[in-house]
Amino acid sequence: MKRILLTTTALVALAGAASAQNLAVAPMADGTIAPSDTPMMDLTPTAAESASGVVLGADGEFGYNDEVEGGFYFEGGLGVTTSAGMNMGLTAGLTLDIDLDFSDNETFNDDGIVVGSKTGIDGGTFDNINISASDFVVFVEGQGAALYIGDTETGAATRWAGTTNMEQDGFLEQDDIDDGAANGDFVDGVIRGDLDYGSVVASLSFLLANNTDTDDTDFDGLTGLSLGAEGTFGNFVVGMAYQEEISQSLVNFNRADDNEDGILTDEEAGNDDPGTVDEVVGVYAGSTFAGADVKVAYARNMTSEEDSIGVQVDYPFGPITATAFYSAESATEDNYGVGVSYENGPVAAAAYYHDGNDQEIGVEGSYDAGMGLTGYAGYIQNDGDSDAYEAYVAATYDLGGGASLIAAYGDTGDTYTGANDEIGNSFEVNEGTTIAVSFTF
């Protein structure tokens, strides 16, 4: 799975709560992650408190974009976590994400057919309003154990911590789980149990599936064992992960225009994933030597019989952290790269270079000018192609009360294949010019 080689320190400095590309959620236009798009707070009660009640987080953004949004747009979200303390030190609750968005934009494919158009309320100025509830998780936590059911991480992905750009560590992740949106991704949900026992933490999960594949094989209930464990022993950390193979498709795919209206809705369009799950196993170990964090990892795809062997070193010195990785690949070219991050006062910057099967180079930075004004800029070249670039400049101004004024410009090359509303890694903007106001509560 692809990871961008940027250190945690640099990412936080570049965009506050901004997200690296390997995380499940994407920042808003101002580079921050909206509360409704983030995992809820850990409500496990401590010895001094017992969590109970409702925790709310909300976000909103409205503005103008001359290309991606096709004009004025707005979006908002409400993140809800309810919880109640029970006997024996347990906490039970649920989390839910409710999203609202609108724009006049419709997305067309090369044949001129509308794909991904918003469906919702018809007849009126805002006939493209889309309301969706997603990321629903029910949980019970406490006494060193927890149970989660819904749009949550699998057991293997919860504990796996491989090195950068290993090709064969393709454990099913939360992004692959059907989150309740119209174009839900892969399966209906996950049931996962976590255990924290001294120096060892472990997770075990199954997929919740109720679909029929192309061979009329029914999945009804639990399938797809996934597990992971990590142990800390003195200065050493070791871990493992395993994912069971599912050779039948978990999802029906239908790319036909069923009602022959010339429009492919999200449901009709499906996606290109075959809907199967490979058997994957991985192990890793890490420690610190002379101030450097060193990690080695091995992952094997048992279905394709291909493997990856990775090593990564992170070394901080003063305001700079340097990183290097190498991943030996049996199925593709080897992956390797270096990265460096810098943070000192109002300046933060990060640069990286990847080569091999994944060819990418990037540099991004930010400058806090004071008085609530912060500037951002970045340039990324993908796939070793000078025409596959993404570049941006942006500025945010703190209006107080959780509000920010945003001005941004994003540009892409002729062969760029990424999403045009996700230009940048540590800070993301829309393609074209964007003027917006963002709120977080």
Side-chain angles (χ1 to χ4, degrees):
M1 62 187 67
K2 182 177 180 181
R3 296 184 182 87
I4 296 300
L5 182 59
L6 294 173
T7 65
T8 302
T9 301
L11 290 172
V12 172
L14 280 169
S19 167
Q21 197 171 33
N22 62 322
L23 297 183
V25 293
M28 299 176 70
D30 62 347
T32 60
I33 301 174
S36 63
D37 295 327
T38 59
M40 292 300 149
M41 61 182 292
D42 184 3
L43 294 175
T44 306
T46 65
E49 63 182 3
S50 177
S52 182
V54 178
V55 178
L56 299 176
D59 64 80
E61 182 174 309
F62 68 87
Y64 172 83
N65 177 267
D66 63 344
E67 291 193 26
V68 175
E69 301 292 349
F72 289 98
Y73 70 95
F74 72 78
E75 58 189 6
L78 176 66
V80 182
T81 295
T82 66
S83 64
M86 302 187 299
N87 294 333
M88 299 181 293
L90 300 178
T91 298
L94 62 87
T95 65
L96 175 65
D97 186 12
I98 301 173
D99 292 303
L100 169 70
D101 63 84
F102 159 82
S103 76
D104 291 326
N105 180 53
E106 290 182 326
T107 304
F108 295 84
N109 65 13
D110 294 335
D111 298 323
I113 298 177
V114 178
V115 295
S117 60
K118 303 184 189 306
T119 58
I121 303 171
D122 294 324
T125 304
F126 301 122
D127 58 353
N128 282 328
I129 288 177
N130 185 57
I131 302 174
S132 62
S134 61
D135 302 328
F136 183 80
V137 179
V138 178
F139 63 87
V140 178
E141 300 175 328
Q143 299 292 344
L147 179 67
Y148 304 91
I149 303 175
D151 180 31
T152 189
E153 200 69 90
T154 63
T158 299
R159 302 303 172 190
W160 175 245
T163 61
T164 300
N165 278 6
M166 297 179 69
E167 299 289 343
Q168 303 304 323
D169 61 345
F171 297 105
L172 201 65
E173 296 182 316
Q174 188 174 2
D175 276 357
D176 303 315
I177 308 304
D178 186 347
D179 61 2
N183 58 342
D185 303 293
F186 206 75
V187 297
D188 297 321
V190 168
I191 178 170
R192 189 187 84 239
D194 292 349
L195 178 65
D196 186 342
Y197 186 76
S199 59
V200 177
V201 291
S203 297
L204 172 68
S205 72
F206 292 90
L207 304 179
L208 301 173
N210 184 18
N211 297 293
T212 303
D213 75 347
T214 54
D215 297 324
D216 294 329
T217 301
D218 288 328
F219 293 101
D220 191 1
L222 301 179
T223 188
L225 168 70
S226 178
L227 62 90
E230 181 180 273
T232 303
F233 308 98
N235 199 36
F236 291 88
V237 175
V238 296
M240 63 79 60
Y242 173 79
Q243 173 178 285
E244 181 182 22
E245 178 183 14
I246 302 176
S247 58
Q248 297 90 3
S249 175
L250 284 168
V251 180
N252 286 323
F253 294 99
N254 179 9
R255 303 185 68 84
D257 183 10
D258 290 338
N259 55 10
E260 299 181 352
D261 62 355
I263 299 175
L264 287 178
T265 66
D266 290 329
E267 183 178 358
E268 290 173 332
N271 65 51
D272 295 328
D273 197 299
T276 60
V277 178
D278 289 347
E279 182 181 16
V280 181
V281 62
V283 294
Y284 63 90
S287 188
T288 301
F289 302 96
D293 295 325
V294 181
K295 180 187 291 184
V296 294
Y298 173 80
R300 181 171 180 81
N301 186 313
M302 307 296 288
T303 302
S304 64
E305 298 185 349
E306 303 291 352
D307 55 25
S308 302
I309 302 174
V311 60
Q312 182 164 325
V313 179
D314 300 286
Y315 184 72
F317 51 98
I320 299 174
T321 298
T323 301
F325 74 91
Y326 189 95
S327 183
E329 304 292 337
S330 65
T332 65
E333 292 183 65
D334 294 349
N335 290 322
Y336 55 92
V338 295
V340 62
S341 65
Y342 173 84
E343 179 186 2
N344 189 15
V347 179
Y352 66 91
Y353 170 78
H354 292 181
D355 207 341
N357 187 59
D358 167 43
Q359 301 179 37
E360 188 164 307
I361 186 170
V363 57
E364 296 177 90
S366 67
Y367 179 75
D368 186 348
M371 304 295 292
L373 179 64
T374 304
Y376 303 86
Y379 176 85
I380 300 160
Q381 181 178 298
N382 304 288
D383 303 321
D385 183 353
S386 60
D387 288 330
Y389 70 86
E390 48 187 305
Y392 68 89
V393 293
T396 64
Y397 181 73
D398 186 0
L399 299 175
S404 296
L405 177 65
I406 308 154
Y409 178 77
D411 186 39
T412 60
D414 294 336
T415 59
Y416 174 73
T417 59
N420 288 335
D421 60 350
E422 297 178 1
I423 298 173
N425 288 325
S426 62
F427 189 95
E428 290 184 349
V429 305
N430 290 331
E431 186 173 19
T433 301
T434 300
I435 303 294
V437 175
S438 173
F439 302 88
T440 58
F441 307 96

